Amino acid sequence: MTLLETLALLTFILALLSLIVDVIHLTLEVMAKFSQMKNDDNKKD
């Protein structure tokens, strides 16, 4: 395996890791907003 192939593989792995972190962050953000909306609905009653 050449240096170029190794760097390409490392870049690919880092890109996938970044994508996974973004998806987790977005999921947590949506869950927090949904929870906040649910709490706001409970306070209105």
Side-chain angles (χ1 to χ4, degrees):
M1 190 180 255
T2 65
L3 179 63
L4 187 60
E5 290 173 337
T6 305
L7 290 176
L9 182 62
L10 183 62
T11 303
F12 179 71
I13 291 171
L14 288 175
L16 281 179
L17 189 61
S18 175
L19 183 63
I20 290 169
V21 168
D22 281 346
V23 167
I24 291 170
H25 183 262
L26 182 63
T27 303
L28 292 175
E29 192 174 314
V30 167
M31 285 173 51
K33 292 227 183 234
F34 182 74
S35 176
Q36 185 179 8
M37 284 174 46
K38 193 172 182 182
N39 287 338
D40 289 346
D41 288 345
N42 288 341
K43 289 179 183 176
K44 288 179 184 175
D45 292 342

